[in-house]
Amino acid sequence: MATLRDLQRRVHDEIPDRFRFPRILSVLALHEEVGELLGEFKQSAVPDRTSTEIAAEVGDVLLSCLEIANSYGLTIEPIDPIRVNIAQHRLSVNLYLAACAVSKECLDIEGFEQSHISQLEAALNRVVQSLAELAASWGVDFVAAFEEKFELILGFVADGTWESRYGNRLLMKRKKFD
């Protein structure tokens, strides 16, 4: 099974530069994906443990984390053992709060030019840990969810449909922020 560092290297090596978000937008993308994942949770009092929607959103959140790590030169650490005796609501709150900490540290770096790289790295690793725990509570293997999502994205890049789906908007955003 691939490690988080293996996945991080794949994202770095296999996604062309023209498809990467500017650093600040990668953090916004994380919040969008966390919101979509938590929306899936909200729609169902007892999530369907085989839900492809949940697995797809888990993959999106992990991809966003790996993109942020790569854009800031951070390392995603191996996750700690999964805690299983925590309510899903609490796990959702933990994920949301960890994503907010990523935003705070990014703002300090980008907006106030403070050297908060180690704090950003710690916050990002808390997101990944929280995501792993929440995914496990739904019976979703978060690495497998990422790999499925990543293969879909690489397919869009290879067949040229990525640009029509997402790329044109991203290229305009890159020009605005670069």
Side-chain angles (χ1 to χ4, degrees):
M1 176 180 235
T3 67
L4 288 170
R5 289 191 181 154
D6 293 338
L7 300 181
Q8 186 175 349
R9 271 191 296 280
R10 282 193 68 202
V11 168
H12 179 270
D13 294 345
E14 296 179 36
I15 294 182
D17 285 342
R18 71 182 188 278
F19 298 141
R20 297 181 199 280
F21 282 114
R23 288 182 355 167
I24 193 79
L25 291 181
S26 65
V27 175
L28 291 175
L30 171 64
H31 280 276
E32 174 194 12
E33 299 303 346
V34 166
E36 289 176 1
L37 175 60
L38 296 181
E40 288 292 329
F41 175 69
K42 183 180 177 186
Q43 290 178 14
S44 175
V46 179
D48 177 1
R49 294 195 179 277
T50 62
S51 171
T52 55
E53 292 86 8
I54 290 173
E57 295 305 335
V58 166
D60 285 344
V61 173
L62 184 53
L63 177 59
S64 291
C65 290
L66 298 172
E67 287 177 337
I68 293 168
N70 286 338
S71 68
Y72 283 91
L74 308 175
T75 301
I76 298 294
E77 298 296 330
I79 59 169
D80 293 329
I82 302 295
R83 301 173 294 173
V84 293
N85 296 329
I86 301 175
Q88 283 183 333
H89 175 75
R90 185 69 204 151
L91 293 170
S92 297
V93 169
N94 289 349
L95 177 61
Y96 176 76
L97 292 174
C100 288
V102 168
S103 292
K104 182 235 181 262
E105 299 307 337
C106 180
L107 180 61
D108 284 346
I109 292 166
E110 300 294 344
F112 301 109
E113 299 180 0
Q114 295 180 1
S115 180
H116 281 214
I117 294 296
S118 63
Q119 293 94 327
L120 177 59
E121 186 171 59
L124 192 57
N125 278 294
R126 283 194 306 276
V127 171
V128 172
Q129 180 70 38
S130 297
L131 177 64
E133 291 174 349
L134 187 58
S137 78
W138 281 318
V140 172
D141 177 334
F142 86 129
V143 171
F146 164 82
E147 289 177 338
E148 185 173 321
K149 186 64 168 198
F150 195 64
E151 290 305 317
L152 181 68
I153 290 168
L154 292 178
F156 293 153
V157 170
D159 69 14
T161 59
W162 196 91
E163 283 90 345
S164 63
R165 291 173 182 264
Y166 313 103
N168 294 332
R169 290 179 300 204
L170 178 58
L171 292 174
M172 288 187 294
K173 290 174 186 175
R174 285 189 61 81
K175 288 178 185 176
K176 182 178 179 180
F177 285 92
D178 284 349

